[in-house]
């Protein structure tokens, strides 16, 4: 009985880890694809995407892989061996989350640019001026931070497909909480240390824009908390 319970939790952990990574990468693809489709400047540069995939995706994914699991897992019926990996609405949830991450990232980029008095078209037409470069850097920083922190917070919603994070237990997976804290600290340090910020082509954000960042990131938790259980 204990072996079956462990096996079910292991399978669920593998599934939630893969779905988390699929959603996050789908969000990145959608963000870049839509920007390219509308001839916008790219909201993220290559080194920023590499950083996200190397650091902020990896730590939560590993933590989900060692999640304590669901205490009610043995109350479920046995899983059909022929069942699709995307069954029980997993594929749908991954797609919705990825689309939302991509849209929020683009929205953050647009806000970061427009609040400095620039429109996207103006930015394209004046892309060689010093002011336009600064504004573009600021917009990319907004997009970069929103994409990162929304993915970190999204990992909390992946712990159980049928229960909210509040029902599962917010601090039951201490490694996941620690990985989120580490990810946020790394992001803050990255944009706060000038020499590193220059490498990653980012800049410091205002306090008001940090509020926007966390509001956008919390949308994922709010969406998951209100979703229909399947």
């Amino acid at each position: 009985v204990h072996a079956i319970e462990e096996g079910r939790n292991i399978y669920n952990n593998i599934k939630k880890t893969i779905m988390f990574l699929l959603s996050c990468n789908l969000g990145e693809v959608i963000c870049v694809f839509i920007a390219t489709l509308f001839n916008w400047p790219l909201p993220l540069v290559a080194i920023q995407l590499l950083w996200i995939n190397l650091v902020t995706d990896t730590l939560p994914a590993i933590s989900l892989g060692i999640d304590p699991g669901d205490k009610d897992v043995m109350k479920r019926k046995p899983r059909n061996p022929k069942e699709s990996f995307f069954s029980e609405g997993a594929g749908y949830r991954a797609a919705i989350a990825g689309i939302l991450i991509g849209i929020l990232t683009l929205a953050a980029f647009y806000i970061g640019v427009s609040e400095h008095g620039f429109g996207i078209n103006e930015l394209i037409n004046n892309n060689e001026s010093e002011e336009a470069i600064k504004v573009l850097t600021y917009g990319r920083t907004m997009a970069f931070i929103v994409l990162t922190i929304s993915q970190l917070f999204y990992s909390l919603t992946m712990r159980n497909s049928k229960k909210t994070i509040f029902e599962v237990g917010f601090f039951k997976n201490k490694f996941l909480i620690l990985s989120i804290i580490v990810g946020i600290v790394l992001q803050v340090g990255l944009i706060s240390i000038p020499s590193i910020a220059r490498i990653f082509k980012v800049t410091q954000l205002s306090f008001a824009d940090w509020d926007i960042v966390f509001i956008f990131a919390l949308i994922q938790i709010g969406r998951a908390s209100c979703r229909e259980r399947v």
Side-chain angles (χ1 to χ4, degrees):
V1 173
H2 289 302
I4 293 172
E5 182 179 4
E6 186 69 17
R8 288 185 176 189
N9 279 323
I10 288 172
Y11 177 84
N12 289 338
N13 286 352
I14 292 171
K15 184 174 181 177
K16 68 181 72 169
T17 300
I18 292 174
M19 289 302 168
F20 168 73
L21 292 173
L22 282 174
S23 298
C24 293
N25 284 279
L26 177 61
E28 295 167 17
V29 169
I30 287 174
C31 174
V32 174
F33 175 75
I34 293 177
T36 304
L37 191 65
F38 288 97
N39 198 31
W40 283 17
L42 288 178
L44 299 159
V45 295
I47 193 170
Q48 294 168 352
L49 290 171
L50 288 172
W51 170 264
I52 292 169
N53 290 325
L54 180 64
V55 179
T56 56
D57 281 0
T58 306
L59 294 176
I62 293 173
S63 300
L64 286 172
I66 56 174
D67 193 75
D70 187 1
K71 63 181 180 180
D72 297 327
V73 71
M74 292 301 288
K75 295 179 181 179
R76 301 182 190 176
K77 294 180 180 180
R79 178 181 58 84
N80 188 336
K82 297 181 180 180
E83 178 183 272
S84 167
F85 203 69
F86 298 95
S87 64
E88 298 184 338
Y92 170 78
R93 289 193 298 273
I96 293 298
I99 292 169
L100 184 58
I101 288 172
I103 291 173
L104 290 174
T105 303
L106 279 174
F109 176 70
Y110 180 82
I111 291 171
V113 170
S114 61
E115 69 182 16
H116 287 83
F118 270 75
I120 298 296
N121 291 331
E122 292 179 83
L123 201 61
I124 295 170
N125 297 330
N126 301 283
N127 59 2
E128 293 184 0
S129 70
E130 185 177 345
E131 187 179 1
I133 292 172
K134 287 182 179 179
V135 172
L136 179 58
T137 299
Y138 195 92
R140 282 175 171 166
T141 304
M142 283 279 289
F144 180 47
I145 301 299
V146 165
L147 178 61
T148 303
I149 297 183
S150 63
Q151 289 183 3
L152 291 173
F153 284 5
Y154 171 60
S155 66
L156 288 171
T157 70
M158 293 299 298
R159 291 192 55 209
N160 194 297
S161 62
K162 299 182 181 297
K163 299 179 182 178
T164 67
I165 182 60
F166 305 103
E167 293 172 315
V168 174
F170 201 84
F171 296 102
K172 287 291 180 65
N173 189 336
K174 295 181 176 59
F175 292 104
L176 182 58
I177 299 298
L178 181 61
S179 69
I180 292 171
I181 293 171
V182 169
I184 293 174
V185 169
L186 287 172
Q187 290 302 109
V188 173
L190 187 146
I191 67 173
S192 300
I193 302 173
S195 57
I196 299 178
R198 282 194 296 271
I199 295 173
F200 285 89
K201 298 181 180 179
V202 291
T203 186
Q204 291 193 44
L205 299 180
S206 67
F207 286 110
D209 285 335
W210 273 110
D211 290 340
I212 294 174
V213 166
F214 279 100
I215 289 170
F216 277 15
L218 287 169
I219 288 175
Q220 282 287 13
I221 295 180
R223 179 196 63 83
S225 299
C226 298
R227 72 190 174 201
E228 181 181 355
R229 296 182 185 179
V230 295

